Amino acid sequence: MKTIAVDMDGVLADVYRQFIDMHFQDTGEQLDTKTIRGLKEREAFPLLEKHVHAPGFFENAPLIPGAKEALKQIHEQYKVFIVSAATEFPRSLQEKQSWLNRHFPFIPWQQMVFCGSKEIIRTDIMIDDHFKNLDAFQGKTYLFTQPHNENASSGRHLRVNSWEELVGLLATNKQKKPFL
Amino acid sequence: MKTIAVDMDGVLADVYRQFIDMHFQDTGEQLDTKTIRGLKEREAFPLLEKHVHAPGFFENAPLIPGAKEALKQIHEQYKVFIVSAATEFPRSLQEKQSWLNRHFPFIPWQQMVFCGSKEIIRTDIMIDDHFKNLDAFQGKTYLFTQPHNENASSGRHLRVNSWEELVGLLATNKQKKPFL
C-alpha cells in the first residue's frame, strides 16, 4: 500500500479562517483573503505570534472544507501519515493529537508524526502548502493552495485547489500507473 | 552532512532505571537487570502501563550514562535528529520535548521528531534499541543494548553496549568510508 504524508495546518486545519477571526476579535478589522494573497502568513497576520501561542489555538482549529470526507476515502487506498511541523510550538503537540483524534478517529497514533523540519520524511506522496517541505521531498508532491502560495508558480509540484480535486487526482493516478 | 536518527527511551533516557525504581517504590521488590534479561519491557515490568501514564514519567527520566557528552560530540559531525515514538502516550509529547531542551539544548526544535511508527523516517544512520524500528530502516543501523534485546542476535544491525563505544565506531567509520 502506498504511503502519503499529509500536512495539518493549511491542509487539514483551516488556520487562515482562524487567524482572520482572531484578528477581527482583537482589532475589529475584517481581513479579506484577496488582500493578503501572496503574503507570507507572518506578513498577513501581524498578531500571528500571539495567536499561535494562545492555549487552544490548535485544539480549536476549524476543518478545511471537505478534508474529513476526502481523507476517509484516501485512507482506504493509501497508508496515510499525518506529518505536522509542531515542535516550534511545544504546546501544540498534545492539542494537535487531540484534534486529530476528534476529527480523524480512523487515523491510528502509529500514523501521526509531529516534527520540526520534514526533510527526513520519506513516503511515496506528500501533500503540503509550503514549498520548504515539498522542495526537499523526493516523492510525488501536491501543493495545496493557500493564500501565501497562491501567486507562486508551483514548479515541479502539482497544485490542487481543494480536497475534492485532490481525491479525484489520486483516484485517476492510481488507476493509470504507480507514482514512483 | 550525514543525518542520524537517535531514539530516546532506552538510548538517551534510562527508562529501565526508572521502571526499576518505580517498581521498588510500589512493591518493595528490588528487580535486578540480570533476572529480567531477554524479557520484553511489559513482561519485565508488570506495572509499566501505570508508570508510563504517570505525569512526569518522561519529564523526569534519568540520562543513559555518557549520552549527553556523546551526543554533543556526534552533533558536531552529523545532523542529529531525535526520533522518538511518543504518540502512543500523548502526554509524553510535551514532556519529551521539555526533557530534550533541558538535557540537549544544542538540538534545535527543527531536529526533533515525535511519531508512532518510524517506518517513514529516512536518515543515513539510525540508533535504536528496538528491532521493529531498525528492521524497517534502510540505512546503517546500530542496536543499542538494553535488557529486552540482550539475548537476541543483532542480525544485520551493529550492536553497541555504550555511548562511548558508539562514539568510537562513528568516528572510525567516518574516517574509513561513507556509510551508504
Side-chain angles (χ1 to χ4, degrees):
Chain A
M1 194 178 247
K2 285 193 179 294
T3 51
I4 300 194
V6 178
D7 181 32
M8 280 181 76
D9 302 333
V11 173
L12 295 175
D14 197 345
V15 288
Y16 265 79
R17 213 174 90 199
Q18 209 176 5
F19 283 135
I20 287 171
D21 288 350
M22 289 175 95
H23 186 87
F24 179 74
Q25 280 161 26
D26 270 18
T27 65
E29 180 193 12
Q30 185 69 53
L31 293 172
D32 186 331
T33 51
K34 281 176 197 153
T35 63
I36 56 177
R37 195 174 284 169
L39 296 182
K40 288 182 183 164
E41 287 157 313
R42 279 178 164 81
E43 292 167 349
F45 306 110
L47 300 173
L48 182 143
E49 280 300 329
K50 177 191 166 195
H51 291 153
V52 292
H53 283 101
F57 179 84
F58 294 98
E59 177 94 44
N60 300 318
L63 279 163
I64 294 274
K68 194 182 277 196
E69 303 72 21
L71 208 63
K72 197 158 194 176
Q73 221 170 311
I74 294 167
H75 168 71
E76 286 164 15
Q77 298 182 303
Y78 296 88
K79 190 163 187 181
V80 174
F81 287 84
I82 310 297
V83 181
S84 177
T87 50
E88 187 178 0
F89 311 106
R91 192 204 301 272
S92 78
L93 292 162
Q94 209 172 332
E95 289 195 12
K96 283 189 173 208
Q97 184 159 3
S98 165
W99 188 89
L100 285 175
N101 289 339
R102 192 163 77 248
H103 294 296
F104 303 93
F106 51 89
I107 304 285
W109 60 262
Q110 287 91 341
Q111 288 159 235
M112 298 177 186
V113 182
F114 302 113
C115 56
S117 162
K118 297 188 183 179
E119 70 193 275
I120 64 166
I121 300 301
R122 180 65 176 267
T123 48
D124 296 310
I125 301 164
M126 179 177 271
I127 302 162
D128 211 291
D129 64 318
H130 280 286
F131 284 100
K132 66 179 174 190
N133 298 324
L134 298 172
D135 288 347
F137 185 75
Q138 287 180 35
K140 171 87 181 165
T141 42
Y142 291 95
L143 176 72
F144 201 92
T145 296
Q146 282 290 310
H148 69 83
N149 67 37
E150 218 169 336
N151 290 348
S153 154
S154 66
R156 73 169 171 98
H157 318 302
L158 198 57
R159 182 184 284 280
V160 288
N161 295 307
S162 68
W163 272 101
E164 198 182 0
E165 188 185 351
L166 186 50
V167 166
L169 283 168
L170 287 175
T172 315
N173 283 342
K174 200 171 163 57
Q175 283 157 17
K176 275 188 196 156
K177 56 175 183 181
F179 283 108
L180 288 180
Chain B
M1 193 176 247
K2 287 195 178 292
T3 52
I4 300 194
V6 178
D7 181 32
M8 279 181 77
D9 302 331
V11 173
L12 295 176
D14 197 345
V15 288
Y16 265 79
R17 211 174 93 199
Q18 209 175 5
F19 283 135
I20 287 170
D21 288 351
M22 290 175 95
H23 186 87
F24 179 73
Q25 279 161 27
D26 270 16
T27 66
E29 180 193 12
Q30 184 70 51
L31 293 172
D32 185 331
T33 51
K34 282 177 197 152
T35 64
I36 57 176
R37 195 174 284 168
L39 296 181
K40 287 181 183 164
E41 287 158 313
R42 279 179 165 80
E43 293 166 349
F45 305 109
L47 299 173
L48 182 143
E49 279 301 328
K50 179 192 164 194
H51 292 154
V52 291
H53 283 102
F57 179 84
F58 294 98
E59 177 94 44
N60 300 319
L63 279 163
I64 294 271
K68 194 182 279 196
E69 302 71 21
L71 208 63
K72 197 159 193 175
Q73 219 170 315
I74 294 167
H75 168 72
E76 286 165 15
Q77 296 182 306
Y78 295 88
K79 190 163 186 180
V80 174
F81 286 84
I82 310 297
V83 180
S84 177
T87 51
E88 187 178 0
F89 311 108
R91 191 204 302 271
S92 77
L93 291 162
Q94 210 172 331
E95 288 195 11
K96 283 187 173 207
Q97 185 160 2
S98 164
W99 188 88
L100 284 175
N101 288 340
R102 193 163 74 249
H103 293 296
F104 303 92
F106 51 88
I107 304 284
W109 60 263
Q110 287 91 339
Q111 288 160 234
M112 298 177 185
V113 182
F114 302 113
C115 57
S117 161
K118 297 187 183 179
E119 68 193 279
I120 64 167
I121 299 301
R122 182 65 177 267
T123 49
D124 296 309
I125 301 165
M126 178 178 271
I127 302 162
D128 211 292
D129 63 319
H130 280 285
F131 284 100
K132 66 179 174 190
N133 298 324
L134 298 172
D135 288 347
F137 185 75
Q138 288 178 36
K140 170 88 180 165
T141 43
Y142 291 94
L143 176 72
F144 201 92
T145 296
Q146 282 291 310
H148 69 82
N149 69 36
E150 218 170 336
N151 290 347
S153 152
S154 66
R156 73 169 172 96
H157 318 302
L158 198 57
R159 182 184 285 280
V160 287
N161 294 307
S162 68
W163 272 101
E164 197 182 1
E165 187 184 353
L166 187 51
V167 165
L169 283 168
L170 288 174
T172 314
N173 283 341
K174 203 172 162 56
Q175 282 159 16
K176 275 187 195 156
K177 56 177 182 180
F179 282 109
L180 290 177

